[in-house]
Amino acid sequence: MFNDDFADALNNLVDDPDALVLPDSYKRLNLVHDVHNGKTNENAQYRREDEVITANIRIVGNIADAAVGTYGTSIERKGIEPGKFENFQKAKQEILLDVRGGFGPETELGRLARSQAQNLNQLYNRDEFPSDGLGGKPKGLANETQPWIKKIPDPSNPAKEIWAIVVTAKLFEKPNYSNKPAEPLPEDLFNEAPPDDDEGMPALADLDSESNEPANEESHMLDGRLTMETWPNPLDWPYQSHPQASKYHLIPIDARSVSDRPISRTEWARHLKPGTLVLVDLTAR
């Protein structure tokens, strides 16, 4: 189904240096390995020419599937109960983005949309990846969003498969304590989404579809103070009572509706549903 909002978003990204909608956009990024005490290690990041900071990548797509509930991928994808504290330390929320937009592959919009996945595939399968024991692929920090490509069932025809962009964001991180916690590092994740189109394609709404209540700005403010101990646990799994649970902090991510209302990570499952059009900022590691 052709989506006017998706088309507008693609056209707006043509001149955006962070976007990957143009062919060979990946060539603007250079893979740089971290060096510690004079030794190159497995951690790597992408940087733009003449820049010393990690590059940002901006992608637009429709959510094909999502595991953004309380337990993230721990229950919704792996089917493993994170009853053990050690398991839930690694919990992540995840969305799968369909970047086709309903455009024919030979159309200009179709080429722009699909270039995003093609460029990401080039970034994460480049010859520069070391084969000398340094880890094989860029390895990012735990509290940064990470993309990759994989095949999933086509939402409109499960008998077929499509390539989707997978975006994950870890839920918790234990700060490095010296005298104070480390500052959070994440960039914007779900930054913007167009309004519903005439065909009813859902967008990131201000109102919850079930309760018709406004997005909870107060709950968003609490994100920075939530820990594994205070994070919602409706199934009462025992990880919450672990002595270390209070030391693992929720990683705050700036998610917003089309009208710039903040959305708490506790509310993602209510807003980030299949079909929703999202604009995502990713850290290029």
Side-chain angles (χ1 to χ4, degrees):
M1 181 188 301
F2 185 87
N3 189 315
D4 289 337
D5 297 321
F6 203 144
D8 290 342
L10 285 172
N11 286 322
N12 289 334
L13 289 177
V14 169
D15 295 322
D16 188 331
D18 291 343
L20 297 176
V21 297
L22 297 178
D24 296 333
S25 296
Y26 75 94
K27 292 182 178 179
R28 301 197 302 260
L29 300 173
N30 300 312
L31 184 64
V32 179
H33 277 272
D34 296 344
V35 177
H36 183 67
N37 292 333
K39 295 183 178 181
T40 302
N41 61 39
E42 65 179 3
N43 293 326
Q45 58 190 281
Y46 279 110
R47 297 178 182 175
R48 302 189 188 283
E49 188 175 358
D50 299 326
E51 292 187 357
V52 296
I53 59 174
T54 305
N56 185 70
I57 295 174
R58 184 162 293 132
I59 296 170
V60 64
N62 290 119
I63 295 178
D65 196 5
V68 291
T70 297
Y71 302 107
T73 59
S74 297
I75 181 173
E76 297 176 37
R77 297 219 183 283
K78 297 179 182 177
I80 301 174
E81 291 189 6
K84 292 184 178 180
F85 170 77
E86 291 76 10
N87 291 341
F88 205 56
Q89 283 178 293
K90 304 175 182 179
K92 297 179 180 180
Q93 290 175 313
E94 174 184 289
I95 63 170
L96 305 179
L97 291 181
D98 179 356
V99 297
R100 296 173 301 166
F103 313 116
E106 301 306 318
T107 66
E108 180 60 24
L109 287 171
R111 286 190 288 270
L112 292 176
R114 287 162 172 76
S115 286
Q116 298 179 105
Q118 293 163 355
N119 279 303
L120 272 179
N121 185 58
Q122 290 291 336
L123 285 175
Y124 288 87
N125 291 281
R126 291 174 73 168
D127 293 338
E128 295 96 320
F129 291 152
S131 56
D132 54 359
L134 289 179
K137 291 188 177 182
K139 184 176 180 181
L141 298 179
N143 58 344
E144 294 176 333
T145 52
Q146 298 289 305
W148 69 91
I149 309 294
K150 76 173 185 179
K151 281 189 174 182
I152 65 169
D154 187 336
S156 60
N157 184 0
K160 296 183 178 181
E161 289 186 326
I162 63 169
W163 285 101
I165 295 176
V166 185
V167 179
T168 64
K170 192 176 180 183
L171 279 169
F172 304 102
E173 183 73 350
K174 186 176 181 181
N176 297 315
Y177 286 103
S178 50
N179 294 322
K180 62 179 182 179
E183 295 181 1
L185 297 177
E187 303 288 343
D188 289 355
L189 179 60
F190 305 103
N191 186 25
E192 182 180 350
D196 294 357
D197 66 14
D198 293 337
E199 299 295 333
M201 179 67 73
L204 199 56
D206 296 328
L207 300 179
D208 175 64
S209 59
E210 298 177 358
S211 65
N212 289 326
E213 294 177 356
N216 191 335
E217 296 194 35
E218 184 176 352
S219 66
H220 174 78
M221 296 299 292
L222 288 174
D223 275 10
R225 297 193 290 273
L226 284 173
T227 66
M228 193 186 297
E229 182 181 46
T230 57
W231 176 254
N233 182 14
L235 298 181
D236 198 28
W237 278 332
Y239 69 83
Q240 199 169 36
S241 59
H242 191 280
Q244 292 287 316
S246 63
K247 297 181 180 180
Y248 280 78
H249 294 240
L250 178 68
I251 299 166
I253 291 179
D254 187 10
R256 294 179 179 271
S257 72
V258 66
S259 60
D260 206 35
R261 287 180 180 270
I263 299 177
S264 166
R265 293 190 74 170
T266 63
E267 302 291 322
W268 280 12
R270 296 167 61 188
H271 296 278
L272 301 177
K273 298 178 179 180
T276 303
L277 182 63
V278 292
L279 185 67
V280 184
D281 280 356
L282 302 166
T283 304
R285 281 185 176 263

